[in-house]
Amino acid sequence: QVQLVESGGGLVQAGDSLRLSCVASGLTFSSAAMGWFRQAPGKQRELIARITGSGKNTNYGDSVKGRFTISRDNAENTVYLQMTSLQSEDTAVYYCAALRFYSTRRSEDVRDWGQGTQVTVSS
């Protein structure tokens, strides 16, 4: 059984930084493309960052490019999302996801979801 457990969310001020972590179990982690999605109230869930199993390739949504960094530690079965220059528009529930394949951006192509962690940015 696959488990993805996120941590690191919270309430921060605009301009602050935050790092999210997602510990995975029950899958061959080093082979799994991973992603971070987020869902703001009243909006669709969107993929904001993804990373290949090896960690060599990454891709970002336009809304976070240059501010957020996805990385992974395959020895620790953990994927991270480093968020800097946070803005009120970044307020959302953030979800870790194991992707069926790296090239997708669709929620339908997610194999497994974490439970989500709330990030709230006050201005």
Side-chain angles (χ1 to χ4, degrees):
Q1 181 180 356
V2 176
Q3 282 194 315
L4 303 174
V5 180
E6 302 104 330
S7 61
L11 173 64
V12 296
Q13 301 284 329
D16 283 352
S17 299
L18 203 59
R19 189 176 81 158
L20 305 182
S21 300
C22 171
V23 179
S25 60
L27 76 166
T28 306
F29 185 72
S30 60
S31 299
M34 300 295 293
W36 285 96
F37 287 74
R38 71 182 181 186
Q39 188 167 21
K43 295 190 176 180
Q44 286 192 329
R45 194 171 295 191
E46 61 168 339
L47 177 66
I48 56 171
R50 52 188 169 170
I51 188 168
T52 53
S54 66
K56 289 182 180 179
N57 296 101
T58 58
N59 183 264
Y60 299 91
D62 289 341
S63 59
V64 306
K65 199 173 296 183
R67 299 188 299 123
F68 291 11
T69 303
I70 188 171
S71 62
R72 65 192 296 157
D73 183 341
N74 286 346
E76 297 293 331
N77 281 14
T78 302
V79 60
Y80 302 98
L81 185 68
Q82 179 68 48
M83 305 184 291
T84 63
S85 301
L86 283 161
Q87 305 163 4
S88 56
E89 305 87 80
D90 296 316
T91 295
V93 178
Y94 285 71
Y95 296 91
C96 175
L99 307 176
R100 294 190 187 279
F101 42 92
Y102 172 72
S103 59
T104 187
R105 300 193 66 83
R106 306 190 316 159
S107 298
E108 293 83 353
D109 292 324
V110 170
R111 289 176 42 189
D112 304 281
W113 291 100
Q115 81 284 358
T117 186
Q118 176 71 46
V119 172
T120 303
V121 184
S122 64
S123 55

